Amino acid sequence: MSYPYQIKSFEEYKEVYERSVRQPQNFWADIASNFQWRRKWDTVLEWNFKDLDVKWFKGAKLNITENCIDRHLEKLGNKPAIIWEPNNPDEHYRILTYNDLYNKVTQFANVLKNNGVKKGDRICLYMGMIPELAIAVLACARVGAIHSVIFGGFSARSIADRLQNANAEFVITCDGAFRGGKDIPLKSLIDDALESCPFVKRVIVCTRTRTPISMIKGRDVWWEDEIKKVETLGMAPAVAEEMDAEDPLFILYTSGSTGKPKGVVHTCAGYMIYTTYSFVNAFNYKQGDVYFCTADIGWITGHSYVVYGPLSAGATTLMFEGVPTYPDAGRFWDIVDKHRVNIIYTAPTAIRSLMSFGDEPLQGKDLSTLKVLGSVGEPINEEAWHWFHEKIGKGKCPLVDTWWQTETGGFMISNLANATPERTSWATLPLPGIQPALVDENGNEIEGAGSGNLCIKFPWPSMIRTTYGDHERCKQTYFSTYPNKYFTGDGALRDEDGNYKITGRVDDVLNVSGHRIGTAEVENAINMHAGVVESAVVGYPHDIKGQGIYAYVIYNGNHNAGDEDLIRKDITATVTRIIGPISKPDKIQFVSGLPKTRSGKIMRRILRKIAENETENLGDTSTLLDPKVVEEIKEGKL
Ligand code: PRX
């Protein structure tokens, strides 16, 4: 497959970018002509941010799996689509060619149909990083079902919330998942979740860890048995369902500054085009390259840049089941060496963690195949950038810093490997078609160099269309802060040449190890503990995680009184049960009160400063109801 839209130089980028802004419809129509359609579109774009009504390629018909699989079979049928590296390096890796992927996806699509799945049904996937997860995702898309993948670090309660919100009647899971030294009991967590989800009528369980599990009669079936049934029936490979360009493809839940996580909805055509376009351009992907994205499919990075973007581009995508430090801190580099990886895309938190082990884990690892490096998830600090660039890329590989979000579906601001210049810790320039804006505190757009809140002022194909079941919430959250603009929740700097440096979230959302965590959600979970009266959660700088979770807690329970460490453990266990281990607080400080204004609002600014160890410049505290609590909190700082 060749990519006529692959940008080769900075000059070309400038030209293409200019055209993408001047004639967005022609620009995207040209790119869309490189894909396989059942029917072409009537209009390229209709949009209105006020009511949040955005339609790309209206009237077009397609199925994304025909683009990710079928169209490659003739030329790439015997080429690897997925290389799978298991958690345990002694277990054999697997390679699925595009032919294999076609067979497996069409077969599992038949399993879904046999189990009563129809177009538009919601299916929740709670699985480890095994090829069957990618197969299940694609099989859902094949039959037109809307998948909702849930990361393995979420609790039964979080799963139940998501199942209820999506009203999902089908679940696909595994007996368990291997992650480093741990076995995660996925099916058992699903069983707990389903106690409050009686509407779930079918659970398909794939074998991985052979952990003993309970199978409920009439509800639970084994993946392998269902495959045998399809084989016995001699069913022909499932033909792809014809989808409308704007039919939902998936729901992915993400945390915000308030309330429960929102189900971000992405649709078929625009998402497909944009993830493919951005993948090919940011990484300068060349046919035959082995591309390794270390993200889990439970997050947007895994959706867009492990599965859909690379496969639609006919790439070889490497899926890794484990964690960077298992069995030792050289694991990523072993994988690069073993599979002759050309492109590695990972997160600053992983880089910082691996850096801390020094050079020893790099000894004897052949990294010479690497051509391009990528970073995502949080601003990459200079030290991590240089280590990645020098030690891993040997100073010769472009490093792309891709800024984007669950809601944006694909890369928004990033340098393009071998085409546009890189700059340490700067995401640099917008991709073609992306029109960022910086807005000041009064909502006015800033021209030229400056700093402000980062917005996007024109639609792009892979943008969020709605939040599942609550369109109003989507409008309010993203499109009402500044009229006619999508507000990202991030702050940014811009230089005179239009380069962007992302400075981080400006709302009450934390970024812990590249995972998005809402402070309100963590507070709600802490407050569920019987002895807790009230709590406030803020972020603080953490060497490895980027941000750590700092909780101020007013505790009034008797149980364990006097033993603060035990109470901390209880509170942590509560958060793990309510949200999942990914949201565990790193520090819990007990306080007798929280700094509140006379109207009862917690002054988080003060708490943030104390957690960041900036106790000198707390600013004006005179409006506080009880300024004395600040002194007490400062003294008790952990
Ligand atoms: O704050 C930004 C940060 O991650 C947020 C999006 O989180 P999520 O939806 O979970 O998606 C993560 C993977 C795309 C953003 O609002 N972020 C992501 N990438 C970068 C980043 N911050 C700085 N530089 C990046 N490259």
Side-chain angles (χ1 to χ4, degrees):
M1 218 179 155
S2 67
Y3 311 110
Y5 47 81
Q6 193 165 49
I7 297 170
K8 290 168 206 67
S9 67
F10 196 24
E11 284 315 305
E12 188 184 347
Y13 162 80
K14 288 185 221 165
E15 215 174 280
V16 170
Y17 184 79
E18 198 271 326
R19 188 166 90 87
S20 77
V21 172
R22 194 169 24 91
Q23 299 181 320
Q25 310 219 8
N26 292 346
F27 172 76
W28 286 114
D30 280 355
I31 291 169
S33 67
N34 294 287
F35 292 77
Q36 188 169 312
W37 303 91
R38 295 267 185 99
R39 179 186 188 276
K40 290 252 165 114
W41 49 92
D42 299 318
T43 55
V44 176
L45 171 65
E46 290 178 14
W47 70 289
N48 162 1
F49 276 177
K50 186 163 164 289
D51 306 313
L52 182 52
D53 185 8
V54 175
K55 292 191 174 63
W56 281 96
F57 308 105
K58 194 172 153 192
K61 304 277 183 198
L62 76 158
N63 186 292
I64 195 167
T65 68
E66 289 185 333
N67 285 274
C68 289
I69 308 173
D70 306 43
R71 70 168 165 153
H72 304 316
L73 295 179
E74 196 187 332
K75 290 206 175 105
L76 304 174
N78 292 319
K79 296 275 189 261
I82 296 178
I83 299 176
W84 175 73
E85 172 68 19
N87 182 58
N88 178 349
D90 297 331
E91 187 182 336
H92 210 279
Y93 62 89
R94 285 166 64 187
I95 292 185
L96 273 73
T97 63
Y98 274 95
N99 283 330
D100 295 334
L101 193 61
Y102 173 81
N103 292 333
K104 298 218 176 269
V105 169
T106 52
Q107 192 178 43
F108 194 66
N110 279 332
V111 166
L112 294 178
K113 286 186 182 175
N114 271 352
N115 279 278
V117 173
K118 291 184 301 299
K119 178 175 177 175
D121 286 344
R122 275 81 51 220
I123 307 191
C124 160
L125 277 58
Y126 189 63
M127 304 170 77
M129 279 289 282
I130 55 175
E132 284 68 22
L133 170 53
I135 291 165
V137 160
L138 292 163
C140 288
R142 188 89 177 168
V143 302
I146 303 169
H147 58 77
S148 173
V149 185
I150 302 177
F151 176 64
F154 283 110
S155 67
R157 164 100 180 216
S158 293
I159 300 168
D161 285 347
R162 286 156 171 76
L163 283 166
Q164 284 160 4
N165 182 268
N167 197 11
E169 292 178 332
F170 301 89
V171 172
I172 307 172
T173 188
C174 298
D175 45 2
F178 294 126
R179 263 178 81 77
K182 291 192 209 128
D183 294 359
I184 302 165
L186 297 176
K187 173 62 165 62
S188 156
L189 283 152
I190 286 288
D191 288 338
D192 290 348
L194 295 198
E195 282 184 15
S196 54
C197 302
F199 49 85
V200 171
K201 46 188 191 200
R202 180 68 78 236
V203 180
I204 302 178
V205 186
C206 184
T207 310
R208 174 61 185 136
T209 55
R210 302 196 178 269
T211 316
I213 61 168
S214 71
M215 293 290 283
I216 305 296
K217 193 181 291 165
R219 189 193 72 185
D220 302 350
V221 294
W222 287 104
W223 174 298
E224 297 77 10
D225 291 347
E226 295 303 295
I227 294 281
K228 276 200 204 101
K229 274 190 211 160
V230 168
E231 282 171 350
T232 316
L233 290 169
M235 291 174 80
V239 174
E241 187 74 30
E242 186 165 286
M243 305 297 284
D244 215 87
E246 282 294 336
D247 277 338
L249 174 64
F250 66 84
I251 307 171
L252 185 59
Y253 286 85
T254 190
S255 296
S257 47
T258 55
K260 292 205 167 165
K262 294 177 282 286
V264 172
V265 175
H266 284 290
T267 57
C268 295
Y271 177 81
M272 168 180 84
I273 287 162
Y274 195 78
T275 53
T276 315
Y277 179 79
S278 52
F279 168 78
V280 162
N281 277 303
F283 295 119
N284 193 225
Y285 186 83
K286 296 279 192 289
Q287 198 60 62
D289 284 349
V290 176
Y291 159 81
F292 174 22
C293 167
T294 69
D296 192 288
I297 295 179
W299 305 108
I300 191 68
T301 309
H303 283 63
S304 302
Y305 299 110
V306 174
V307 181
Y308 286 115
L311 293 176
S312 165
T316 298
T317 178
L318 193 151
M319 266 179 88
F320 173 41
E321 185 182 33
V323 296
T325 48
Y326 183 84
D328 58 52
R331 188 65 196 278
F332 276 0
W333 324 127
D334 280 325
I335 295 174
V336 170
D337 187 337
K338 177 170 168 186
H339 298 289
R340 318 298 297 149
V341 170
N342 304 110
I343 304 167
I344 183 167
Y345 183 39
T346 191
T349 182
I351 297 167
R352 285 191 300 266
S353 146
L354 297 178
M355 255 167 72
S356 70
F357 291 88
D359 290 355
E360 203 271 330
L362 295 170
Q363 299 297 312
K365 313 285 158 74
D366 180 1
L367 306 181
S368 63
T369 47
L370 284 175
K371 297 196 291 189
V372 175
L373 315 174
S375 168
V376 60
E378 58 177 304
I380 177 164
N381 50 307
E382 298 215 355
E383 202 189 346
W385 195 99
H386 286 295
W387 189 85
F388 197 23
H389 196 254
E390 301 312 318
K391 302 278 179 186
I392 305 306
K394 312 292 178 202
K396 67 174 173 61
C397 303
L399 196 172
V400 294
D401 181 359
T402 60
W403 172 80
W404 60 297
Q405 310 178 296
T406 305
E407 294 85 345
T408 70
F411 306 151
M412 301 296 279
I413 302 182
S414 174
N415 50 314
L416 309 179
N418 300 320
T420 71
E422 70 195 8
R423 181 159 159 199
T424 312
S425 301
W426 283 64
T428 72
L429 296 167
L431 266 78
I434 306 304
Q435 300 189 32
L438 287 183
V439 178
D440 67 17
E441 61 274 22
N442 304 318
N444 299 319
E445 196 175 328
I446 300 166
E447 298 295 333
S451 74
N453 287 345
L454 180 59
C455 297
I456 312 290
K457 58 184 179 183
F458 193 83
W460 63 102
S462 64
M463 66 181 281
I464 181 173
R465 298 299 197 273
T466 189
T467 47
Y468 194 78
D470 195 348
H471 195 63
E472 197 51 39
R473 188 171 176 204
C474 189
K475 266 177 14 191
Q476 284 301 327
T477 309
Y478 305 106
F479 296 89
S480 70
T481 318
Y482 306 112
N484 270 321
K485 290 185 182 69
Y486 164 81
F487 176 41
T488 65
D490 280 320
L493 307 177
R494 185 172 55 207
D495 72 5
E496 1 3 281
D497 300 323
N499 289 292
Y500 288 84
K501 179 181 172 72
I502 311 298
T503 48
R505 303 287 306 194
V506 294
D507 53 9
D508 288 322
V509 172
L510 307 183
N511 191 324
V512 179
S513 301
H515 298 154
R516 216 208 265 198
I517 294 181
T519 48
E521 239 184 301
V522 182
E523 286 164 8
N524 289 340
I526 294 174
N527 296 347
M528 300 283 275
H529 185 290
V532 171
V533 179
E534 203 181 357
S535 65
V537 166
V538 297
Y540 71 98
H542 186 289
D543 284 351
I544 305 286
K545 298 179 178 185
Q547 269 189 311
I549 303 180
Y550 196 116
Y552 298 91
V553 173
I554 306 176
Y555 186 78
N556 194 20
N558 280 324
H559 187 68
N560 286 339
D563 191 340
E564 294 199 340
D565 276 343
L566 267 183
I567 303 173
R568 284 196 181 96
K569 283 193 183 130
D570 285 353
I571 292 175
T572 305
T574 310
V575 175
T576 304
R577 175 154 287 270
I578 304 292
I579 309 177
I582 64 163
S583 294
K584 283 196 291 206
D586 297 275
K587 293 186 180 179
I588 299 176
Q589 179 181 346
F590 295 105
V591 295
S592 64
L594 292 166
K596 287 190 180 167
T597 59
R598 282 175 226 284
S599 58
K601 208 170 151 275
I602 298 175
M603 299 253 312
R604 288 163 186 287
R605 178 179 55 79
I606 294 179
L607 294 174
R608 229 177 274 134
K609 286 215 159 167
I610 297 175
E612 285 167 3
N613 252 338
E614 277 189 42
T615 46
E616 295 311 312
N617 275 323
L618 291 182
D620 183 13
T621 53
S622 62
T623 55
L624 289 178
L625 198 57
D626 178 9
K628 278 201 308 297
V629 294
V630 175
E631 289 311 310
E632 180 214 299
I633 293 174
K634 267 163 62 177
E635 271 163 37
K637 157 101 187 41
L638 297 174

